Amino acid sequence: MADAPRPSQAAFLRACLVNEILRFGTFQLKSGRVSPYFFNAGLVHRADILSSMSAAYASTILASSAALGDIDVLFGPAYKGIPLATSTVGALAALAPERFGKVSYAFNRKEAKTHGEGGTIVGAPLAGKRVLIIDDVITAGTAIREAVAMIAAEGGVLAGIVVALDRQERVGPPPGEADDGVEGEVRRKSAIGQVRAELGVPVLAVLTLDDIIAGLAATGSGSDPAASAENVSALEQYRRRYKAGD
């Protein structure tokens, strides 16, 4: 069972529902699975929604500050991570100015700049700094691993990773195998679980599928049609079928 959501977490979930960043229906995923919900962080472009999202990121970071340790730089992988990191650095400073008032941000260019200051990193230098990656989701983990490699190449130290959503579903099977969730006797991990085990750092999420289900059930369709019993039931069935073993 998910813990009671923090106020910023609940506000962000509400913003996702109202603005259809989180939608319900039938969605074909890249994995081939048919999902009853879809989260589109690309729609977080309006000031009030971005403010709600960055406050939720900041609250998540503060709640896990003991596990994360000191943080010097928030790093947003291009492209979706850029506005998330730059907005969250301000929200974090506002939430806990004495601890996070001097945290910086940085992000990468897709292609190295060959004139001016040059290089692939914009913003704070990473050398010798503890760096926290801020991104929207981890799907296969490829983009996150690329970001980790960039940070290491610049001399930074990875402190952890924070994403907006953890779908809490296992990764797909190898080609030719049934998508039954069993690998020998052990359920496959989620993409986040794999990254967490591989890198040995905290990998946090603002929202999880458990949070979404609990939030919808608590809201009820009388307050929001998206929180219908049908949607909650579809999410629960999907969770039972594809739940990860982390």
Side-chain angles (χ1 to χ4, degrees), residues 129-197:
K129 303 297 185 182
R130 288 182 55 79
V131 182
L132 182 65
I133 296 174
I134 306 292
D135 211 350
D136 59 341
V137 295
I138 295 178
T139 304
T142 305
I144 285 294
R145 291 180 179 92
E146 290 174 353
V148 170
M150 280 186 282
I151 291 167
E154 294 290 326
V157 177
L158 182 66
I161 301 165
V162 187
V163 297
L165 177 66
D166 179 0
R167 292 179 63 93
Q168 297 180 299
E169 65 183 82
R170 62 183 183 265
V171 296
E177 291 190 14
D179 195 7
D180 56 8
V182 178
E183 191 176 78
E185 294 288 330
V186 182
R187 277 187 175 269
R188 289 186 293 272
K189 292 181 180 292
S190 66
I192 282 182
Q194 289 184 333
V195 169
R196 186 182 290 125

Side-chain angles (χ1 to χ4, degrees), residues 13-34:
L13 177 56
R14 177 64 181 161
C16 288
L17 294 173
V18 169
N19 295 286
E20 297 190 329
I21 295 159
L22 179 62
R23 297 172 57 203
F24 303 95
T26 302
F27 304 93
Q28 182 85 35
L29 304 181
K30 189 175 181 180
S31 65
R33 293 172 184 166
V34 177

Side-chain angles (χ1 to χ4, degrees), residues 4 6 12 15 18 21 33 35 44 58-59 82 88 96 104 129 144 148 151 155 161 171 184 186 209 220 228 236 239:
R6 298 179 298 275
F12 176 53
V18 169
I21 295 159
R33 293 172 184 166
S35 172
V44 184
S59 176
I82 295 174
T88 299
S104 299
K129 303 297 185 182
I144 285 294
V148 170
I151 291 167
I161 301 165
V171 296
V186 182
L209 178 56
S228 67
E236 289 175 335
R239 179 173 61 182

